[in-house]
């Protein structure tokens, strides 16, 4: 008996059941293919937004600074650290950080000053791209600053407004000066929105009387180096300093990303279990409807292995058709999601743990994205078919022929 031609004819003896089974597998596979690319795309974009806005892949601080941040705890050999990092292919940017007060008119608010090296910072951060109005910092404009969105609303200032800043200088004197708001940021991150005042590194050093050191060095890793390896290399290039990757700096977000990754597999499992139940039900119905037929086949000398092969071939044909249809239907959606994406900005944008995510959500699709759901579907269908196939193959011919 030729198994595959007979299996094909058997399938279309009950067209409705066959088409419903294939449609269910097709729909499940199509959904899984789209979902399999969208969730990793979301996770990657979220990680990139955390890393690229301000945090960086890795941060370097003087020992003790993170536990007790003061303007006196500084990285002193900053030029040496930067030189070694850049020679190793790790873009890095120094920052000076300090707390203080900003006032404009009758309004005042506590702020965090962030002095940055503008050209270098553009290599490790995209915060300069998040302007809602005005312009980014100009190294030639020592008295120009950029403020966070919420801070601008609190102080009632905009581009061109004047603000007075007040802080404690490193020499114990009172640091104060007048600055001009060059630009206002769009939403970046809760703390940045509420309190950040960005200014030129040398301008903040002059204000705080800090001639040499910095408080933080933000580092980006090469694209082909994983985070753990990069962190170990950076730590070796900055001996005697506190080197931490972004997951150590923001453990809550890192934990959330890991748990979301686990949720992907749980959803995959639930959907395919539902498909398995459907396949099991369909195959059991196919077996019970044809018990007398199987009894006749066994009486004519068809062995258990051949009969089991016949039923597995029927499920294999249905699965193959479902895979072809599922991939074909999913391809336009995969192209759209990877090239155009979903504009969540039109829905008001998204935020997680205070970090504002990018406005367009893209999927990530490659050969591995397609292989995973397809292989999982094939395995689930095979396992769901084993029991009815085994039952049909090893039933008694006499008992089967008497079945009504």
């Amino acid at each position: 008996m030729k198994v595959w031609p007979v299996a094909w004819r058997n399938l279309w003896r009950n067209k409705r059941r066959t088409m419903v089974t294939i449609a269910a597998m097709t729909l499940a596979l199509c959904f899984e293919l789209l979902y399999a690319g969208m969730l990793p795309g979301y996770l990657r974009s979220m990680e990139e937004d955390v890393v690229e806005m301000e945090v960086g892949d890795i941060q370097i601080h003087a020992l003790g600074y993170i536990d007790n941040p003061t303007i006196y705890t500084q990285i002193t050999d900053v030029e040496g650290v930067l030189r070694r990092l850049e020679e190793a292919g790790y873009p890095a940017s120094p920052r000076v950080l300090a707390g203080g007060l900003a006032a404009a008119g009758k309004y005042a608010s506590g702020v965090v000053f962030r002095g940055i090296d503008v050209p270098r910072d553009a290599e490790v951060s995209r915060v300069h791209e998040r302007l809602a109005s005005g312009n980014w910092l100009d190294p030639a404009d020592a008295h120009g600053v950029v403020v966070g969105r919420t801070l601008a609303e609190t102080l009632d200032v905009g581009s061109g407004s004047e603000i007075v800043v007040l802080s404690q200088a490193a020499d114990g004197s009172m640091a104060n000066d007048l600055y001009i708001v060059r630009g206002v940021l769009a939403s970046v991150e809760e703390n940045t929105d509420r309190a950040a005042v960005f200014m030129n590194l040398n301008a903040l050093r002059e204000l705080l009387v800090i001639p040499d050191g910095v408080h933080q060095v933000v580092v980006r890793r090469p694209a082909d180096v994983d985070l753990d390896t990069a962190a170990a290399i950076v730590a070796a290039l900055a001996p005697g300093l506190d080197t931490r990757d972004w997951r150590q700096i923001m453990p809550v977000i890192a934990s959330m990303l890991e748990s979301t990754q686990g949720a992907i597999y749980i959803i995959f499992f639930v959907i395919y279990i539902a498909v398995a139940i459907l396949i099991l039900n369909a195959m059991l119905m196919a077996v019970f409807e044809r018990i007398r037929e199987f009894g006749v086949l066994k009486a004519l000398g068809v062995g258990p292995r051949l009969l089991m092969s016949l039923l597995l071939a029927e499920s294999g044909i249905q699965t193959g058709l479902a895979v072809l249809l599922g991939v074909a239907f999913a391809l336009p959606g995969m192209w759209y999601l990877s090239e155009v994406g979903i504009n969540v900005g039109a829905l008001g944008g998204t935020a997680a743990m205070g970090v504002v995510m990018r406005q367009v959500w893209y999927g990530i699709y490659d050969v591995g994205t397609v292989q995973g759901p397809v292989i999982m579907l094939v395995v689930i269908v095979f396992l769901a078919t084993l029991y009815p196939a085994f039952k049909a193959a090893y039933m008694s011919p006499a008992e089967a022929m008497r079945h009504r």
Side-chain angles (χ1 to χ4, degrees):
M1 182 175 67
K2 296 181 179 180
V3 172
W4 291 101
V6 174
W8 176 263
R9 288 197 298 269
N10 285 342
L11 284 178
W12 301 110
R13 288 164 57 186
N14 192 324
K15 295 181 180 179
R16 179 177 297 177
R17 182 178 63 234
T18 299
M19 293 181 69
V20 168
T21 304
I22 293 174
M25 288 192 288
T26 299
L27 181 63
L29 180 61
C30 186
F31 174 80
E32 291 293 350
L33 288 172
L34 297 176
Y35 182 80
M38 286 306 295
L39 259 294
Y42 170 75
L43 295 177
R44 179 180 293 183
S45 65
M46 184 174 181
E47 180 175 341
E48 289 175 351
D49 282 329
V50 170
V51 168
E52 293 180 359
M53 276 302 110
E54 287 192 83
V55 177
D57 291 302
I58 301 162
Q59 289 187 3
I60 303 171
H61 302 86
L63 293 175
Y65 179 83
I66 293 180
D67 296 327
N68 183 27
T70 72
I71 61 173
Y72 304 104
T73 307
Q74 304 170 12
I75 301 172
T76 53
D77 182 26
V78 62
E79 292 302 325
V81 172
L82 293 174
R83 184 182 66 255
R84 291 192 294 271
L85 289 171
E86 290 171 355
E87 288 175 353
Y90 287 76
S93 179
R95 294 178 179 175
V96 171
L97 308 173
L101 185 72
K106 59 181 180 180
Y107 302 106
S109 178
V111 298
V112 176
F113 301 111
R114 303 184 185 182
I116 64 173
D117 184 324
V118 177
R120 276 180 164 148
D121 206 74
E123 298 180 10
V124 302
S125 168
R126 291 191 298 110
V127 69
H128 60 278
E129 299 175 4
R130 284 286 183 94
L131 283 172
S133 63
N135 301 296
W136 185 239
L137 298 174
D138 183 350
D141 183 4
H143 281 78
V145 298
V146 173
V147 300
R149 178 182 63 86
T150 306
L151 178 61
E153 294 173 356
T154 301
L155 299 179
D156 192 23
V157 297
S159 300
S161 300
E162 294 182 344
I163 62 171
V164 175
V165 303
L166 183 67
S167 186
Q168 178 73 41
D171 63 357
S173 65
M174 188 66 66
N176 61 87
D177 208 340
L178 180 68
Y179 293 88
I180 305 297
V181 176
R182 289 181 54 86
V184 176
L185 292 171
S187 289
V188 174
E189 179 266 334
E190 185 178 355
N191 293 330
T192 301
D193 293 348
R194 186 180 66 251
V197 175
F198 289 87
M199 54 201 307
N200 282 291
L201 179 64
N202 290 334
L204 186 54
R205 276 178 165 167
E206 182 180 348
L207 177 69
L208 299 177
V209 195
I210 299 176
D212 299 312
V214 299
H215 301 113
Q216 181 185 84
V217 174
V218 178
V219 185
R220 295 301 306 276
R221 61 187 169 95
D224 58 346
V225 180
D226 66 82
L227 186 60
D228 291 332
T229 302
I233 292 173
V234 171
L237 295 172
L241 298 174
D242 186 357
T243 301
R244 304 190 187 190
D245 63 47
W246 74 266
R247 293 175 303 191
Q248 296 170 305
I249 296 168
M250 307 185 75
V252 176
I253 290 183
S255 176
M256 184 184 71
L257 291 178
E258 291 176 3
S259 62
T260 304
Q261 184 71 42
I264 295 175
Y265 298 109
I266 293 174
I267 293 175
F268 277 7
F269 179 77
V270 170
I271 291 175
Y272 279 125
I273 286 297
V275 172
I277 293 172
L278 175 66
I279 300 302
L280 178 62
N281 179 69
M283 294 305 296
L284 282 173
M285 290 297 295
V287 168
F288 285 125
E289 288 177 0
R290 297 153 61 193
I291 286 180
R292 296 187 67 188
E293 175 188 327
F294 293 145
V296 172
L297 288 174
K298 296 196 71 175
L300 292 175
V302 176
R305 291 186 179 180
L306 187 57
L307 196 55
M308 180 175 284
S309 298
L310 179 63
L311 289 172
L312 290 175
E314 291 179 14
S315 70
I317 291 172
Q318 293 179 90
T319 305
L321 291 173
V323 168
L324 292 176
L325 292 172
V327 172
F329 289 146
L331 279 175
M334 292 162 65
W335 174 87
Y336 180 86
L337 293 173
S338 62
E339 297 295 327
V340 181
I342 300 175
N343 186 0
V344 295
L347 304 176
T350 59
M353 302 297 176
V355 179
V356 177
M357 300 294 105
R358 62 188 61 186
Q359 301 298 294
V360 180
W361 178 8
Y362 294 98
I364 300 174
Y365 298 96
D366 52 26
V367 175
T369 307
V370 176
Q371 283 180 342
V374 169
I375 292 173
M376 189 177 290
L377 177 66
V378 172
V379 171
I380 289 292
V381 172
F382 174 75
L383 294 176
T385 308
L386 279 180
Y387 170 69
F390 185 86
K391 183 176 180 64
Y394 289 94
M395 67 175 56
S396 167
E399 181 182 346
M401 289 169 50
R402 289 196 301 267
H403 179 80
R404 294 182 181 278

